[in-house]
Amino acid sequence: MTRFFSPSPDRARRGAAFVEGALVLTIVLFTLIGIIDFGQILLTQQALVERVRAGARYAVVNTFDETNIKNVVLYNSPTAGSKSLLGLTTSMVEVSLLSAGTPEARIEIRIVNYPFRFFTPLVKGLYSTNNRIRLSIPVEGQGATT
């Protein structure tokens, strides 16, 4: 008696296990990469917020100079460095003094259009966000006056 294309039961089970394993592994990998992307976004967001806070701390205790404040946000120093932190550029940092000379005077620092790089295959690439990181702080004491 001859058998035509009739796989053995063990071989059929191995094939089914291989297909199931491939499906589960795909889902696990997508989930893991998504978790990594989400963590990266949270970490980058927090680092950008800290850069804005550093600029605001500098701005409040020093005479208002837009270039120096941008340099503190970009290089962590009032003087320009060779490489900015987090890949920020001067066009991404906006500094303004609002209501100068009044009791309501405020310094506002914003980071805009910072690009995020995703690794998840379905959204892989470089994306810029419209979400602005903004800090507005009142001018106090002798610092931050023009």
Side-chain angles (χ1 to χ4, degrees), residues 33 37 116-127:
I33 293 172
D37 273 345
F116 287 105
R117 182 173 301 279
F118 292 99
F119 299 107
T120 304
L122 297 176
V123 291
K124 186 177 180 181
L126 189 65
Y127 297 96

Side-chain angles (χ1 to χ4, degrees), residues 12-142:
R13 281 191 213 118
R14 269 189 281 148
F18 180 75
V19 171
E20 289 171 5
L23 292 173
V24 169
L25 185 61
T26 302
I27 293 169
V28 168
L29 285 176
F30 271 97
T31 304
L32 182 63
I33 293 172
I35 290 169
I36 291 169
D37 273 345
F38 187 71
Q40 174 196 350
I41 290 170
L42 289 177
L43 181 68
T44 303
Q45 179 83 10
Q46 185 59 36
L48 292 172
V49 167
E50 182 53 37
R51 295 305 333 131
V52 169
R53 286 181 184 158
R57 282 192 298 268
Y58 176 84
V60 167
V61 297
N62 293 290
T63 303
F64 182 82
D65 183 352
E66 183 178 343
T67 304
N68 286 351
I69 296 169
K70 280 186 177 186
N71 286 339
V72 169
V73 173
L74 294 170
Y75 309 106
N76 205 28
S77 169
T79 57
S82 59
K83 186 176 179 187
S84 70
L85 302 170
L86 302 170
L88 290 171
T89 63
T90 54
S91 64
M92 293 178 193
V93 180
E94 298 174 354
V95 177
S96 54
L97 179 61
L98 308 172
S99 302
T102 67
E104 291 83 25
R106 302 184 77 72
I107 295 174
E108 188 171 274
I109 303 173
R110 293 176 302 278
I111 295 179
V112 296
N113 298 326
Y114 184 81
F116 287 105
R117 182 173 301 279
F118 292 99
F119 299 107
T120 304
L122 297 176
V123 291
K124 186 177 180 181
L126 189 65
Y127 297 96
S128 182
T129 66
N130 290 329
N131 187 13
R132 295 178 177 217
I133 297 172
R134 177 181 165 267
L135 178 75
S136 181
I137 189 165
V139 174
E140 298 176 3
Q142 298 298 315

